[in-house]
């Protein structure tokens, strides 16, 4: 079968998990919002990931949205497992304060969600973790007056597949009122 890359580029998030004395981060590109009221966010995680077991055990996770400038750190976090090393220590990722749920919040993220697992849906070699958003963190100045991200202030990290990343071209922005 041809490579499964037709739906890229997609935003990459850092999924944070914590259970017992283990705190971990992994990049995930198979993710999206699926409900506005209540706010629900879904991420697809392989059963092989250390993250999978941590979230299953704790019932909570974070999703952290990061700027393109952190691409190397993100790639590193996705090239090894928290099963083998403490990635947060190893890559010097600073964590901030969570609000409602005991999940790792990445300080350099421009926005983060705290999610509690509402449902886990099997979907082939990955499981969908359906997360009810309990809290949202946002850095100052990331919005342009509307509710959308100001891509002159932050450059969302997008993934194209095959270890290849890209970001947005602000010259292409258009708003078409309905
Ligand atoms: C850009 C990027 C996107 C990724 N997206 C996903 C994803 O959506 N789901 C998934 O299960 N793994 C994904 N991975 C793979 C995991 O991040 C990777 O296997 C990681 O090392 C797992 O870490 P862990 O074992 O500590 O949980 C992605 C990796 C990269 C680099």
């Amino acid at each position: 079968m041809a490579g499964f890359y037709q739906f890229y580029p997609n935003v990459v998030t850092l999924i944070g998990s914590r259970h017992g004395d283990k705190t971990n981060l992994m990049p995930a590109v198979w993710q999206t919002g699926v409900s506005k009221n209540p706010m629900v966010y879904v991420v697809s995680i392989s059963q092989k990931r250390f993250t999978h077991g941590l979230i299953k055990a704790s019932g909570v996770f974070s999703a952290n949205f990061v700027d393109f400038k952190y691409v190397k750190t993100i790639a590193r976090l996705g090239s090894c497992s928290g099963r083998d090393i403490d990635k947060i220590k190893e890559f010097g990722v600073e964590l901030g304060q969570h609000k409602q749920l005991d999940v790792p919040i990445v300080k350099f993220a421009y926005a983060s969600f705290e999610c509690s697992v509402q449902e886990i849906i099997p979907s082939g070699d990955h499981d969908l973790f359906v997360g009810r958003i309990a809290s949202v963190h946002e850095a100052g100045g990331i919005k342009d007056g509307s509710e959308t991200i100001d891509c002159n202030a932050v450059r969302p990290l997008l993934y194209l597949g095959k270890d290849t990343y890209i970001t947005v071209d602000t010259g292409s922005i258009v708003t078409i009122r309905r």
Side-chain angles (χ1 to χ4, degrees):
M1 200 199 284
F4 193 34
Y5 307 111
Q6 297 81 354
F7 47 83
Y8 292 137
N10 265 0
V11 164
V12 181
T13 58
L14 269 182
I15 299 299
S17 51
R18 176 176 291 142
H19 182 63
D21 62 351
K22 297 285 184 190
T23 298
N24 196 37
L25 292 171
M26 72 156 244
V29 67
W30 289 3
Q31 55 83 32
T32 190
V34 290
S35 165
K36 215 169 169 185
N37 187 19
M39 290 204 298
V40 179
Y41 168 88
V42 169
V43 57
S44 180
I45 303 178
S46 162
Q47 296 89 350
K48 291 181 189 158
R49 316 291 181 232
F50 187 52
T51 298
H52 188 287
L54 291 181
I55 300 177
K56 217 172 161 183
S58 69
V60 290
F61 65 94
S62 64
N64 303 271
F65 298 84
V66 298
D67 192 280
F68 184 73
K69 68 183 169 199
Y70 298 107
V71 62
K72 284 190 179 152
T73 304
I74 305 313
R76 284 189 199 119
L77 288 163
S79 64
C80 55
S81 178
R83 208 175 273 119
D84 308 316
I85 56 162
D86 180 342
K87 288 195 252 184
I88 289 156
K89 220 185 234 170
E90 184 77 20
F91 303 120
V93 180
E94 272 192 66
L95 299 181
Q97 195 55 48
H98 61 262
K99 291 181 184 170
Q100 288 193 52
L101 306 175
D102 185 15
V103 289
I105 300 299
V106 174
K107 256 195 181 167
F108 67 70
Y110 61 81
S112 304
F113 297 152
E114 298 182 6
C115 301
S116 63
V117 177
Q118 185 173 282
E119 205 180 343
I120 301 175
I121 304 172
S123 58
D125 58 9
H126 285 53
D127 290 333
L128 299 181
F129 286 77
V130 181
R132 177 76 74 102
I133 299 176
S135 278
V136 176
H137 301 241
E138 266 181 12
I142 66 160
K143 289 189 174 161
D144 59 2
S146 67
E147 278 305 297
T148 61
I149 300 292
D150 179 356
C151 290
N152 289 301
V154 287
R155 294 191 305 154
L157 176 61
L158 306 173
Y159 189 59
L160 281 170
K162 293 259 173 192
D163 297 322
T164 307
Y165 301 81
I166 191 170
T167 187
V168 294
D169 165 18
T170 49
S172 67
I173 292 176
V174 61
T175 303
I176 299 168
R177 302 277 172 222
R178 285 175 290 159

